[in-house]
Amino acid sequence: MDSAVAPRGMQDCIPDYRNIHEVEVPAYTDIEHHTWAQLYANQQKVLPGRACDEFLAGLDAVGFPPDHIPRLADISDTIERQTGWTIMRVDGLVPNYEFFKLLSERIFPSTDFIRRPDEIEYTPSPDMFHDLLGHSPLLVNPRFCTFFEEFGRAGVAAFENPEIDPAARDWLPRIYWFTVEYGLIRNPAGLRIYGAGILSSPKEVLYSLSDGPKKLPFDLEVIANKPYDIWHMQEELFVIDSFDQLEESFYAWAQGHGLL
Ligand SMILES: [Fe+2]
């Protein structure tokens, strides 16, 4: 499940618009640091050979501490030096319009709280492990960043331009879900994962590459019209060939609908 594009009825958190360096860091307990360490160790076991090369390179570039919760400001600075993207603190799910606006300004919203120890396997509400480990490695990938910014601009247009089909406000969260959260990609060595919703959960990592979910060819018109289920494992996943394909096909699709 995602902290960003919020399903209807769960849209209630307004981003903290202060500079990330002015935001006080929560006093995390030892238990909370241990939860991060455990989550991180779990993912280290399953990601090699399953996460895509671009994500693994990003993971190295971001350089998360394995044993304690990182500061959002430090992660933001590291990303900013590489692609200009920054991180903003949020309390939870951000309303779609605000979320699109942030992406269009090359800002990614992240929570700064960690799940409870009994939620190691699964948390219904996204936490900073999902937001940081799942999302930020691709924020150092220039091609993905171009797509992400265009996605944000398209979302802003969907809300601000009265000539655009209002259905676009539903199309874009579905595209986000089946790409940014649950996307698969073909790397030279085989099928790999780039979706943050998968990459921040050991169960999802193993399930997504198993014979369980159907792997479908990437088609934005199909995805835009496909409702998704946030409560169960995904039955169908869409596979891109490259981040070039993702960016180019999204740009063409968005232009076709007057969104860019
Ligand atoms: Fe997410």
Side-chain angles (χ1 to χ4, degrees), residues 3-239:
S3 60
V5 172
R8 285 217 171 103
M10 300 180 73
Q11 306 175 350
D12 55 3
C13 288
I14 301 301
D16 183 338
Y17 287 101
R18 286 176 294 175
N19 181 299
I20 194 73
H21 287 277
E22 293 167 9
V23 176
E24 60 279 12
V25 179
Y28 299 114
T29 64
D30 288 348
I31 290 174
E32 287 172 321
H33 284 301
H34 182 71
T35 298
W36 170 278
Q38 205 176 339
L39 288 164
Y40 187 83
N42 288 349
Q43 291 315 92
Q44 286 296 104
K45 283 183 213 150
V46 297
L47 293 184
R50 297 190 180 92
C52 68
D53 297 342
E54 296 88 342
F55 180 91
L56 293 172
L59 201 55
D60 278 349
V62 174
F64 291 110
D67 57 351
H68 63 271
I69 296 174
R71 285 160 36 100
L72 293 191
D74 292 339
I75 304 298
S76 182
D77 286 351
T78 303
I79 294 167
E80 187 174 14
R81 281 194 293 274
Q82 301 187 52
T83 57
W85 277 69
T86 57
I87 285 178
M88 177 176 283
R89 189 192 75 85
V90 293
D91 286 331
L93 297 165
V94 181
N96 287 354
Y97 176 61
E98 278 75 12
F99 181 66
F100 293 136
K101 268 196 104 126
L102 292 178
L103 294 186
S104 75
E105 294 163 7
R106 303 170 75 85
I107 299 168
F108 186 76
S110 171
T111 49
D112 64 353
F113 58 85
I114 193 99
R115 68 193 72 182
R116 296 195 315 258
D118 62 337
E119 294 173 329
I120 289 269
E121 286 291 321
Y122 174 75
T123 170
S125 54
D127 68 343
M128 66 189 303
F129 185 77
H130 166 82
D131 291 334
L132 291 182
L133 185 121
H135 285 285
S136 64
L138 286 182
L139 296 179
V140 300
N141 181 287
R143 198 62 168 159
F144 181 83
C145 284
T146 302
F147 155 74
F148 220 16
E149 183 184 346
E150 286 167 354
F151 179 85
R153 284 170 40 215
V156 171
F159 278 85
E160 290 186 351
N161 185 341
E163 291 176 13
I164 288 173
D165 187 340
R169 297 179 193 182
D170 293 325
W171 298 336
L172 289 163
R174 292 171 187 156
I175 290 172
Y176 188 88
W177 184 263
F178 287 111
T179 59
V180 177
E181 294 294 348
Y182 282 90
L184 298 181
I185 183 169
R186 256 181 223 94
N187 272 172
L191 202 57
R192 296 288 185 270
I193 306 156
Y194 73 94
I198 303 176
L199 291 169
S200 55
S201 156
K203 263 194 196 162
E204 296 268 12
V205 166
L206 299 178
Y207 175 73
S208 68
L209 297 180
S210 73
D211 291 335
K214 265 191 228 157
K215 316 297 189 300
L216 302 177
F218 189 65
D219 183 328
L220 283 169
E221 207 51 48
V222 171
I223 294 172
N225 289 289
K226 190 172 184 60
Y228 56 88
D229 178 354
I230 65 168
W231 299 110
H232 299 97
M233 300 288 230
Q234 306 302 304
E235 290 175 7
E236 296 177 316
L237 299 171
F238 293 87
V239 184

